[in-house]
Amino acid sequence: MALHHFVAPNFFVFPDNQGPNPDYRYCLAPHMNIDRDMVSSEVKKVEQYDELKRELAERVAQARQSYDAFVRRLKKLGHI
């Protein structure tokens, strides 16, 4: 849930004009990423983006741990 709640407000369809392609691409805070939508480098935005990357990595790691624990439990119960 923590990963889901992080992704919802921080990832955006990018670029906006993807046409009829149903496989949309999403980007973490493109307005804070010089390789995406940030026109000129701004130190404060780069720092904020780095913090978002750190938080994303942390939440992904937590989700992985939860998933692994779930699978171990299923195995222990004999469901897989």
Side-chain angles (χ1 to χ4, degrees):
M1 266 327 245
L3 178 58
H4 176 76
H5 288 297
F6 175 82
V7 168
N10 291 301
F11 275 79
F12 302 89
V13 172
F14 184 84
D16 292 342
N17 57 351
Q18 293 185 32
N21 184 0
D23 187 20
Y24 290 106
R25 293 182 183 189
Y26 293 88
C27 181
L28 173 64
H31 62 287
M32 291 187 213
N33 184 333
I34 194 68
D35 294 330
R36 300 291 186 261
D37 205 25
M38 186 168 51
V39 179
S40 61
S41 183
E42 297 178 39
V43 175
K44 192 152 200 100
K45 284 185 178 182
V46 171
E47 290 171 352
Q48 290 172 329
Y49 187 79
D50 288 345
E51 177 61 24
L52 286 174
K53 289 191 309 185
R54 185 200 59 74
E55 188 174 345
L56 175 61
E58 188 177 292
R59 292 187 186 212
V60 167
Q62 291 170 349
R64 169 68 65 190
Q65 289 173 351
S66 295
Y67 175 77
D68 290 345
F70 174 68
V71 170
R72 282 192 305 274
R73 180 73 175 146
L74 288 178
K75 285 180 180 179
K76 184 177 181 180
L77 294 173
H79 295 293
I80 57 172

